[in-house]
Amino acid sequence: MYALGQNPQEPSQGAVPAVQGPELAGQSNDVSETDSLQPNDAGGHMVTPEPVSIEGYSMNFTSEGERSNYLRGGLTFGSSYSDNVSPSGGQPISDFSYSVWPFITLDQVRSRQSWDLSYSPGFTFYQKTTAFNESDHNLALALKYRLSPHVTFKIENHFSKTSNFLNQNQNLAAEPATGLAPTVALVVPIADQLRDTSSAQLSYQTSPNGLIGATGTFSELNYPTRSQVPGLFDSTSSTGQAFYTYRLSGKHYLGATYDYTNLLSHPNGIRTETHSVLLFYTIYLNSATSFSVFAGPERSESHGAVLTPAQWSPAAGGSFGWRREHTSLEMNASRRVSGGGGLASAVHSLDANASVRQQLSPSTTVGLSANYSLNEALRLLPSTSNGHLVSGTISFERRLGAHFGFDMAYTRLHQSYNNIAAISRAPDVDHVLVSISYRFERPLGR
C-alpha cells in the first residue's frame, strides 16, 4: 500500500536508515547505502536508527538500488472517480475528475552533501462539481550535509496544496513512499487544503559507539475555505527532540529521547503541550532489515475554552522494515498524544499501517497497504468528536517501454466521526485513480 498524503509523482527519497560514512560518493551510486552496514560494524560510523531518524523506511527493492546525480521529469495524465466527493442533503455526490501533472526531480551527491528536490504542479478539473477545479502544488526536499567527519545535518520538507486529498495518494507500485509521512486522523472528500511537514536534524557521533542528536519538526494543516469543512479545524504542531543512542554492536542500538510538543487547533485556540521520555531499541538483522520499539511516560496538558488537568499516559510503538530483490515490506504502530489533524483538540491516537510492494515481472509491480487510526479527544467538548479511520489501497504499475507507464490505484475509506458534518453524513468513500505517464532521465555532470 502507499501512504496517505503523498504526491503521485513524487519519486523515492532513498533507503533508510542510511549509513553515515565519512564521505558521500561524488558519482552515480547504484547500491543502497545500507548495503555497507555490516553485522558487527562496532567502532565505525553509526546509523541514526529508528525511531529517531527523520528519513523513514525505503520501499525500494534491493535490486533497484539508489541511483544518484540525475535529472528526472515527465508528464502524467490522470482520471479519477469517487463515489463521495461531497455530501448534499445527507447523500454523497459521485464525480469524475481529470488531472495533468508535469513533474521534475533533481538529485545530486557530492563529497560532503546530497540532496533531492522534486516539484509537481497540477491542474484538476471536475465533471460535475466544477467549483472545486483548482491548481495543485507538490514539493519535496531532502538535504544531507556533513559538517565534519562526525557531524551530520539533515533537512526534509513535504508540501502539498490540493482540493482532493485522495488524489495525492502515492501509487506504491509506481513510486515507493519514503521520508516524512504525516499522521492522517481523518480525510474530507473534497476541500481546499494545505499540508506542510518539515523536519531538521543535527547528529554528532561522540565516540566509536555513541551518538547524540537534536530534531525539530513542524507540521501544519490549513483549510482556506471554511464552508467546505463544517466541524473541522486548522492545526499546527511543533516538536523538539533530543536523543542519545549507544551501539552495543553493529546490530543492536539502545537509546533514549526527550520530546516536547506544542499542538494548536484554531480558530478555537485550544493548545496542548506534551512532554515525554522514551526508551528505544533497534536491531538490524541485515543491511535491508530492521526492527524498532519504543516506550515511556508522556505528560499532556491542554489550555483553551476549558483547562484540562495534566494527564499521564503511556506512549509506545514499533516499526519493521524488510526489503528483498523483488519484495519490500513496512509496518508501523504507535500509541501516544498527537495533533487532531482537523479535530477540535489534541487526541490520544492509536495508529497502525502496513505496506507491501511486489514485483511480478520486470515491467509489472503491485502494491497493497492498510491504515488504521483511532482518536480519542483528551477532553471531550461539544465541538470535539472521537472516531476512527480505516483505509485500504491496492495499486498496479505497468511499464510500457523505457519512458511510458500505466498506473492504477483503488482506495476504500471508512470513517466514523459522528459530530463532524463534513464526514458523518457520508462516512464511506470508494476512489479509483488511473493514469498514463511519460518519464525521462538524464545524468548530471557527465
Side-chain angles (χ1 to χ4, degrees):
M1 169 190 172
Y2 55 86
L4 288 173
Q6 299 293 313
N7 173 16
Q9 287 74 49
E10 181 181 307
S12 171
Q13 296 293 323
V16 173
V19 172
Q20 300 176 5
E23 288 190 342
L24 296 169
Q27 60 188 5
S28 175
N29 177 18
D30 292 330
V31 179
S32 170
E33 289 182 89
T34 56
D35 290 338
S36 64
L37 181 66
Q38 299 301 314
N40 294 291
D41 194 24
H45 285 270
M46 293 180 65
V47 173
T48 303
E50 292 286 339
V52 294
S53 173
I54 67 173
E55 295 176 278
Y57 287 110
S58 171
M59 289 295 287
N60 282 330
F61 307 132
T62 56
S63 59
E64 290 177 313
E66 304 294 336
R67 301 202 302 169
S68 303
N69 296 317
Y70 278 89
L71 165 67
R72 300 177 176 91
L75 186 66
T76 296
F77 294 94
S79 177
S80 68
Y81 169 80
S82 176
D83 65 356
N84 179 12
V85 296
S86 179
S88 176
Q91 297 297 321
I93 298 175
S94 61
D95 201 359
F96 286 91
S97 67
Y98 308 94
S99 303
V100 55
W101 295 295
F103 57 94
I104 188 168
T105 299
L106 291 167
D107 66 83
Q108 193 172 63
V109 174
R110 290 293 181 259
S111 60
R112 298 181 63 182
Q113 71 177 25
S114 66
W115 58 274
D116 294 89
L117 175 66
S118 63
Y119 174 60
S120 175
F123 304 91
T124 300
F125 309 92
Y126 295 91
Q127 190 171 22
K128 298 178 183 178
T129 53
T130 56
F132 293 109
N133 292 351
E134 79 156 28
S135 60
D136 304 325
H137 297 276
N138 296 276
L139 177 69
L141 170 67
L143 170 68
K144 181 187 296 184
Y145 185 75
R146 186 168 299 282
L147 301 175
S148 74
H150 302 292
V151 180
T152 303
F153 180 64
K154 302 175 187 177
I155 294 178
E156 288 209 8
N157 173 261
H158 292 266
F159 170 82
S160 70
K161 173 184 179 291
T162 182
S163 64
N164 190 337
F165 182 69
L166 291 178
N167 271 355
Q168 302 305 300
N169 287 346
Q170 182 174 359
N171 183 336
L172 182 69
E175 299 288 359
T178 56
L180 295 172
T183 300
V184 179
L186 53 87
V187 176
V188 292
I190 292 187
D192 297 334
Q193 52 198 285
L194 303 173
R195 295 175 181 264
D196 183 51
T197 302
S198 302
S199 191
Q201 184 174 84
L202 183 68
S203 60
Y204 171 47
Q205 187 170 347
T206 59
S207 67
N209 294 298
L211 180 74
I212 62 173
T215 305
T217 301
F218 175 81
S219 62
E220 181 176 18
L221 169 63
N222 178 257
Y223 298 104
T225 308
R226 304 294 310 168
S227 61
Q228 296 175 352
V229 287
L232 295 182
F233 296 82
D234 299 339
S235 65
T236 58
S237 171
S238 303
T239 300
Q241 179 190 78
F243 66 87
Y244 172 78
T245 182
Y246 182 79
R247 178 173 54 190
L248 301 178
S249 71
K251 290 183 177 182
H252 304 276
Y253 284 67
L254 290 175
T257 73
Y258 165 74
D259 293 17
Y260 167 77
T261 303
N262 187 356
L263 306 167
L264 176 65
S265 297
H266 43 90
N268 64 4
I270 297 179
R271 181 169 62 91
T272 300
E273 295 179 288
T274 70
H275 302 264
S276 61
V277 177
L278 307 174
L279 301 179
F280 67 87
Y281 166 73
T282 300
I283 179 172
Y284 294 96
L285 302 176
N286 56 51
S287 63
T289 305
S290 66
F291 171 73
S292 298
V293 292
F294 69 87
E298 188 167 47
R299 181 184 185 273
S300 60
E301 185 175 6
S302 297
H303 308 268
V306 177
L307 177 65
T308 300
Q311 302 179 38
W312 288 90
S313 59
S319 61
F320 176 71
W322 180 81
R323 299 190 299 136
R324 290 297 181 265
E325 186 175 0
H326 302 293
T327 308
S328 59
L329 171 68
E330 175 191 1
M331 295 187 293
N332 296 276
S334 66
R335 175 73 167 93
R336 61 186 312 175
V337 175
S338 66
L343 300 176
S345 69
V347 296
H348 288 291
S349 179
L350 173 62
D351 298 296
N353 63 75
S355 303
V356 62
R357 184 170 177 248
Q358 176 68 49
Q359 187 178 48
L360 302 181
S361 72
S363 60
T364 304
T365 305
V366 296
L368 180 66
S369 68
N371 288 272
Y372 176 78
S373 180
L374 174 65
N375 298 283
E376 300 176 350
L378 294 183
R379 181 163 183 176
L380 202 59
L381 302 172
S383 59
T384 63
S385 176
N386 294 335
H388 68 272
L389 173 152
V390 182
S391 71
T393 298
I394 183 169
S395 54
F396 171 87
E397 177 210 20
R398 177 74 176 182
R399 296 295 92 192
L400 307 174
H403 300 289
F404 292 91
F406 173 76
D407 307 315
M408 293 193 307
Y410 166 72
T411 298
R412 171 67 176 179
L413 172 68
H414 170 76
Q415 300 177 98
S416 175
Y417 288 96
N418 294 330
N419 293 344
I420 300 176
I423 295 175
S424 61
R425 290 178 290 181
D428 299 314
V429 179
D430 291 285
H431 185 267
V432 179
L433 177 64
V434 178
S435 66
I436 297 177
S437 60
Y438 167 79
R439 303 164 185 250
F440 68 85
E441 182 177 88
R442 299 288 184 272
L444 294 176
R446 277 172 270 164

